[in-house]
Amino acid sequence: MASTQHRNSRCQDALAGVGLFSDLSKAQVRSVARLMTCVKVPAGRALTTEGEVGREFMVVVDGQASVRRDGRLIATLGPGDFVGEMSLIAGTPRSATVIAETDMLVETLNRREFSTLLDESPKVARKIMVGTVKRLQEAVGGPVA
């Protein structure tokens, strides 16, 4: 990825407006923000590569990215969307390649920080799990039994 700034105020301000964290108090959002690292990603850079080991969870703060599986466009991500949870939860390789279509700001968590987030914030963990199940359903074309 690109340049890292531990606490960019633009990232921290935007984080409070991300739907994933909407049920949290201001103190809880600050606690989550302390775990995260703000990263600037230039247009054209890969955030994830299909088949590679996943090492981080990312929340889009600003910008857009395309999601491709087997070279086919399957989704577009924008502010508030997240990616990378499946690899961290299941310990499996990345299921898609995500490319920054514009310059982006993303908040990242490594595996340990992601586990801490899930342990400390059941509301966020629930939203991540619901988002993951929805993605799996879209990938297989229907409900996951």
Side-chain angles (χ1 to χ4, degrees):
M1 252 185 274
S3 66
T4 301
Q5 298 177 344
H6 195 65
R7 268 288 40 102
N8 176 315
S9 64
R10 184 172 174 199
C11 281
Q12 190 165 353
D13 293 344
L15 194 61
V18 170
L20 183 61
F21 306 115
S22 63
D23 292 338
L24 302 183
S25 69
K26 287 182 181 181
Q28 289 170 314
V29 170
R30 280 192 304 274
S31 178
V32 168
R34 280 192 287 276
L35 293 171
M36 303 184 106
T37 301
C38 186
V39 178
K40 292 180 181 180
V41 182
R45 178 76 50 94
L47 280 76
T48 70
T49 302
E50 187 174 358
E52 288 190 358
V53 174
R55 292 188 172 83
E56 60 274 319
F57 168 76
M58 292 163 269
V59 178
V60 178
V61 173
D62 190 35
Q64 289 203 331
S66 61
V67 182
R68 296 181 184 277
R69 184 175 299 122
D70 298 323
R72 289 186 345 267
L73 181 67
I74 60 169
T76 302
L77 303 177
D81 290 327
F82 56 88
V83 67
E85 77 286 356
M86 285 192 256
S87 289
L88 295 184
I89 292 168
T92 57
R94 297 285 192 197
S95 61
T97 296
V98 179
I99 303 289
E101 295 297 326
T102 65
D103 289 345
M104 298 180 73
L105 284 177
V106 296
E107 288 279 5
T108 65
L109 292 169
N110 65 30
R111 185 176 303 276
R112 180 185 51 78
E113 293 161 340
F114 182 69
S115 291
T116 299
L117 172 66
L118 296 181
D119 290 344
E120 291 181 0
S121 183
K123 289 178 181 178
V124 172
R126 192 172 309 111
K127 285 185 176 184
I128 290 170
M129 297 305 158
V130 167
T132 301
V133 169
K134 286 180 179 178
R135 273 197 210 139
L136 288 172
Q137 289 175 333
E138 290 168 6
V140 299
V144 178

